[in-house]
Amino acid sequence: MSTREEKRWQHYQADKAMRVARKEIKRNRKPKGGRSKEDITGRLDDPNALDELEFPQTERVMPRGERERRRAVMTAALAKLDQEKGASDGSLAEETAGRRGVVVEVSSSLCRVDAGGQTLMCGLRGSLSAQETGFTNVVAVGDRVMVSPDGAGRGIVEAVLPRQSVLARPDVFASHLQQVIVANADQLLIVASWREPALWLELIDRYLIAAGRHHLSPGICVNKIDLANSAAICRETLAPYIGLGHRVIFASALTGEGVVELRELLRDQTTVLAGLSGVGKSLLLAAVQPGLNLRTSHVSDSGEGRHTTTQVTMLKLDGGGFVVDTPGIREFGVSGLRKSDLARFYPEIAAVAGDCRFGNCSHITEPDCAVRAAVRQGSVSEARYHNYQKIYVALS
Ligand code: GDP
Ligand code: ZN
């Protein structure tokens, strides 16, 4: 089988497995009967068995002593890892070697793990549980894991390492819990286009807020700069952002402008992409690294509800680092943000807000507002203030 065919086959299998898993999840929601306690990982050696697999959902009812036993397994795995880590320099390359890996794709209870350059389709050790973590999923894209390969391109995730950061959102079925969308991301790359679709500064602000709320370092890339009348007008428009210290890359996937800069920005980082469809994310990535394809790597999905439609894929960069594309990123923007907290994400507004007459000034209608005065004087950008107003009004 060619690599391409193999990929397709794996996607096909994963898709099939996902459909079976969904059926199982549905069945589990019904109160009747017990859950299959079978460890799915034991049957992964036989690819045909995937057709038959039933994936137990995170088990909520456990036999006495089981939780302690699982803790012991996890502790032992982590201790072993610490030991190994002590001997390494802690670099990502080191971390992906041997039994350590990075989850690059998740579909139901199966995940694809990049372990030292080898991609393994993995099941989860039955003893792993998301219980008591506050999250509904055991593994997410970006998770650093320990795997035991079976020597035939498959493996079992034995442990999930502590996460450095988490992009999560309320779970669709259990809103008091969170669903991890991406683990261990470093930065958020906001991709916009100068035209087609037209530059939309409010959306850039919303993504900047998302980055701030999730402690991701933001970067802005304005693509399709070839469609601008002059470079000067682009710089002028983005000046407030450059003035705030944001990294702004003017690029054209078509002419290659800014691509070297972009490649540098992505190197050795786990970068989450944010941007409207059509701004040129795919083409830009292909320019950064020929062959890198955002579109074809998604596991296909038959679209049974939002829970399962967010397919997150992490692509590995030759120069080091990963790029994550998730359609779910829009939901990370300002949802759940309180009106009174908005100004915190506008440092130039927060800097002068202390001079407003009212301590709880919204900077929209109140008299003697230092923020509006600053806008009039030009020390706060009109465009940024305009976005602040629009987002403020839209917040509940
Ligand atoms: P995505 O949805 O963000 O991944 O966007 P694509 O990469 O699929 O690009 C959308 C469209 O914009 C395609 O027709 C591309 O050819 C076009 N495009 C992408 N980058 C550029 C660019 O730098 N300049 C121009 N003029 N067109 C571009
Ligand atoms: Zn004010």
Side-chain angles (χ1 to χ4, degrees):
M1 250 194 275
S2 72
T3 320
R4 201 188 169 90
E5 279 169 335
E6 199 171 357
K7 243 184 168 171
R8 260 203 213 139
W9 181 84
Q10 285 173 346
H11 281 183
Y12 170 70
Q13 291 293 357
D15 197 33
K16 262 202 297 197
M18 199 154 58
R19 282 197 297 270
V20 176
R22 276 203 208 107
K23 264 189 221 152
E24 173 67 7
I25 286 168
K26 264 194 191 155
R27 195 165 36 236
N28 281 340
R29 269 188 238 129
K30 291 175 195 156
K32 68 172 170 68
R35 283 175 191 168
S36 157
K37 286 273 194 296
E38 191 166 1
D39 185 347
I40 59 156
T41 54
R43 297 168 62 182
L44 276 174
D45 333 11
D46 175 9
N48 298 322
L50 276 168
D51 272 343
E52 318 289 322
L53 285 182
E54 293 193 339
F55 298 95
Q57 244 189 331
T58 304
E59 294 150 281
R60 299 223 149 75
V61 183
M62 285 187 241
R64 195 171 305 168
E66 176 62 9
R67 198 183 310 268
E68 287 68 28
R69 193 189 69 78
R70 289 177 182 193
R71 276 221 184 96
V73 168
M74 177 69 108
T75 311
L78 288 174
K80 185 168 190 301
L81 183 93
D82 278 346
Q83 245 177 10
E84 286 176 28
K85 211 173 183 171
S88 81
D89 63 1
S91 70
L92 190 63
E94 199 45 64
E95 213 165 297
T96 54
R99 289 157 50 90
R100 270 167 285 178
V102 179
V103 175
V104 294
E105 190 167 3
V106 178
S107 91
S108 197
S109 293
L110 286 178
C111 61
R112 209 184 296 274
V113 175
D114 180 288
Q118 192 193 3
T119 303
L120 303 172
M121 193 61 142
C122 293
L124 304 178
R125 176 63 70 202
S127 55
L128 293 179
S129 159
Q131 229 183 6
E132 293 176 7
T133 62
F135 299 114
T136 47
N137 45 344
V138 176
V139 286
V141 159
D143 263 325
R144 305 282 147 78
V145 291
M146 285 188 71
V147 293
S148 27
D150 72 351
R154 296 178 179 275
I156 298 166
V157 172
E158 304 282 0
V160 181
L161 304 186
R163 295 167 177 140
Q164 307 298 313
S165 73
V166 157
L167 261 184
R169 63 173 182 197
D171 190 85
V172 178
F173 298 125
S175 56
H176 63 292
L177 296 173
Q178 298 264 305
Q179 184 193 13
V180 183
I181 306 295
V182 184
N184 302 316
D186 301 306
Q187 56 182 5
L188 183 73
L189 179 66
I190 302 165
V191 185
S193 55
W194 180 255
R195 270 174 47 188
E196 299 171 15
L199 188 67
W200 183 12
L201 293 180
E202 183 192 333
L203 189 64
I204 293 185
D205 280 20
R206 284 172 175 262
Y207 285 141
L208 285 174
I209 294 167
R213 293 175 86 192
H214 290 93
H215 311 288
L216 298 178
S217 160
I220 301 169
C221 176
V222 181
N223 188 36
K224 307 200 189 182
I225 220 69
D226 55 287
L227 299 179
N229 292 334
S230 75
I233 180 114
C234 300
R235 296 209 162 268
E236 202 179 302
T237 309
L238 273 299
Y241 297 87
I242 299 167
L244 285 167
H246 292 306
R247 176 87 180 264
V248 180
I249 298 175
F250 296 98
S252 167
L254 220 59
T255 68
E257 191 177 336
V259 169
V260 172
E261 221 183 317
L262 191 57
R263 196 177 293 132
E264 272 313 301
L265 183 75
L266 300 178
R267 191 187 302 278
D268 289 333
Q269 302 288 307
T270 295
T271 305
V272 177
L273 289 183
L276 289 178
S277 109
V279 295
K281 295 183 293 297
S282 316
L283 221 55
L284 272 174
L285 275 195
V288 163
Q289 184 177 312
L292 209 57
N293 197 334
L294 265 192
R295 293 291 174 262
T296 55
S297 51
H298 295 283
V299 169
S300 68
D301 183 82
S302 56
E304 222 181 281
R306 284 172 67 196
H307 193 64
T308 48
T309 51
T310 305
Q311 288 301 335
V312 186
T313 305
M314 196 155 89
L315 302 175
K316 194 176 183 182
L317 297 168
D318 291 342
F322 294 92
V323 174
V324 184
D325 183 37
T326 162
I329 187 68
R330 263 178 238 179
E331 300 168 38
F332 297 121
V334 298
S335 74
L337 186 65
R338 285 187 308 206
K339 277 182 192 284
S340 55
D341 285 335
L342 181 59
R344 287 206 291 126
F345 298 98
Y346 281 82
E348 71 275 49
I349 289 179
V352 295
D355 295 333
C356 295
R357 193 209 293 185
F358 300 105
N360 61 350
C361 184
S362 70
H363 323 303
I364 308 274
T365 53
E366 294 87 338
D368 295 330
C369 171
V371 173
R372 279 185 291 135
V375 174
R376 282 194 298 275
Q377 286 154 17
S379 57
V380 165
S381 139
E382 212 164 303
R384 285 270 294 170
Y385 175 67
H386 192 55
N387 297 340
Y388 168 87
Q389 272 183 316
K390 285 207 275 192
I391 297 170
Y392 187 93
V393 170
L395 289 177
S396 49

